Amino acid sequence: MRLVIARCSVDYAGRLTAHLPSAPRLILVKADGSVSIHADDRAYKPLNWMSPPCTLKEGSGDESHLWTVTNKAGEKLIITMEEVLHDSTHELGVDPGLIKDGVEAHLQELLADRIETLGEGYSLIRREYMTAIGPVDILCRDADGGTVAVEIKRRGEIDGVEQLTRYLELLNRDPHLAPVKGVFAAQEIKPQARVLATDRGISCTVLDYDAMRGIEDDKLRLF
């Protein structure tokens, strides 16, 4: 990972345009090719970013102050460096991935055992399908034999959709698996996450934890 702290301005050119005026910012360049721009607030969320696969080109000569990040769709993130305050590179190695809490781990186990919850004709390929950037919770096939990657969360938020998007971009490079569809599964899915998932062609499934465990609710029923 490369960490750069610089006074810079940022322009995005793609389906829409956006401009960040000059200010000190943190620029993260990760081994997966992603580039993100951060301010000293907003928790973990970047001001702007470019997801992999993308390329970073640093200018030379009179344009040495320009960084241009281009993704496969031709969209560009242009960073104009005014003053570099810090520039360092660190080898982090392979990350073991997030250790899920008990509920998420059990949801994964239950869904793998009851994969037909996703739809009639679904079949399991395997749990924890390893990729170069971490394990996909569940890899399965739908009724038509197509590959489906499933990301499971207790609470489905935007970062979970982003995580599944990265997995899908990688899995779809494998000709033995492609095309790979995505399913974002959680006990609760936030509206913003659902909108983002839908925009990216990812299906959303709400999981009933008690029903999957075979526990009836305690509400009175007529029959």
Side-chain angles (χ1 to χ4, degrees):
M1 179 183 291
R2 185 178 178 186
L3 308 176
V4 179
I5 299 175
R7 179 174 291 278
C8 62
S9 60
V10 184
D11 292 279
Y12 170 80
R15 287 173 292 180
L16 48 79
T17 58
H19 175 72
L20 293 173
S22 175
R25 297 188 175 94
L26 169 64
I27 303 167
L28 296 182
V29 183
K30 295 187 178 181
D32 64 2
S34 63
V35 177
S36 55
I37 316 295
H38 297 260
D40 201 10
D41 61 8
R42 297 166 58 94
Y44 60 89
K45 295 182 179 179
L47 297 166
N48 214 328
W49 68 93
M50 193 70 80
S51 299
C54 57
T55 57
L56 168 61
K57 180 180 179 181
E58 298 183 45
S60 59
D62 293 338
E63 296 187 341
S64 59
H65 61 293
L66 292 179
W67 285 19
T68 303
V69 187
T70 308
N71 66 12
K72 62 181 180 181
E75 299 168 318
K76 293 185 177 181
L77 198 64
I78 301 171
I79 307 169
T80 303
M81 300 288 195
E82 298 171 12
E83 181 183 8
V84 176
L85 305 173
H86 174 85
D87 188 346
S88 63
T89 301
H90 308 269
E91 293 292 337
L92 302 185
V94 178
D95 191 89
L98 179 67
I99 304 299
K100 293 181 178 292
D101 66 23
V103 173
E104 283 191 13
H106 199 203
L107 278 171
Q108 183 192 112
E109 181 181 344
L110 287 169
L111 186 57
D113 189 52
R114 299 163 176 78
I115 199 66
E116 67 278 358
T117 301
L118 298 177
E120 186 177 350
Y122 271 69
S123 59
L124 179 69
I125 296 176
R126 68 166 297 167
R127 292 171 52 194
E128 298 287 330
Y129 184 88
M130 186 57 64
T131 74
I133 58 174
V136 177
D137 287 336
I138 290 178
L139 198 69
C140 58
R141 296 196 185 279
D142 61 20
D144 298 321
T147 311
V148 182
V150 185
E151 179 63 26
I152 300 170
K153 298 293 184 187
R154 189 158 50 124
R155 180 179 294 106
E157 302 190 63
I158 283 178
D159 58 343
V161 179
E162 294 284 5
Q163 182 180 359
L164 179 54
T165 299
R166 292 192 293 272
Y167 287 143
L168 290 171
E169 288 175 346
L170 194 63
L171 291 169
N172 273 300
R173 299 180 201 173
D174 186 339
H176 299 293
L177 298 176
V180 183
K181 297 186 295 186
V183 172
F184 189 50
Q187 289 179 281
E188 173 193 359
I189 299 178
K190 296 293 185 180
Q192 300 94 328
R194 187 178 291 275
V195 169
L196 181 61
T198 301
D199 181 66
R200 295 183 176 180
I202 295 171
S203 302
C204 292
T205 297
V206 175
L207 301 175
D208 187 327
Y209 186 45
D210 288 339
M212 291 173 68
R213 290 190 296 165
I215 299 176
E216 298 287 346
D217 64 34
D218 58 0
K219 296 178 182 177
L220 292 175
R221 299 188 181 189
L222 295 176
F223 53 87

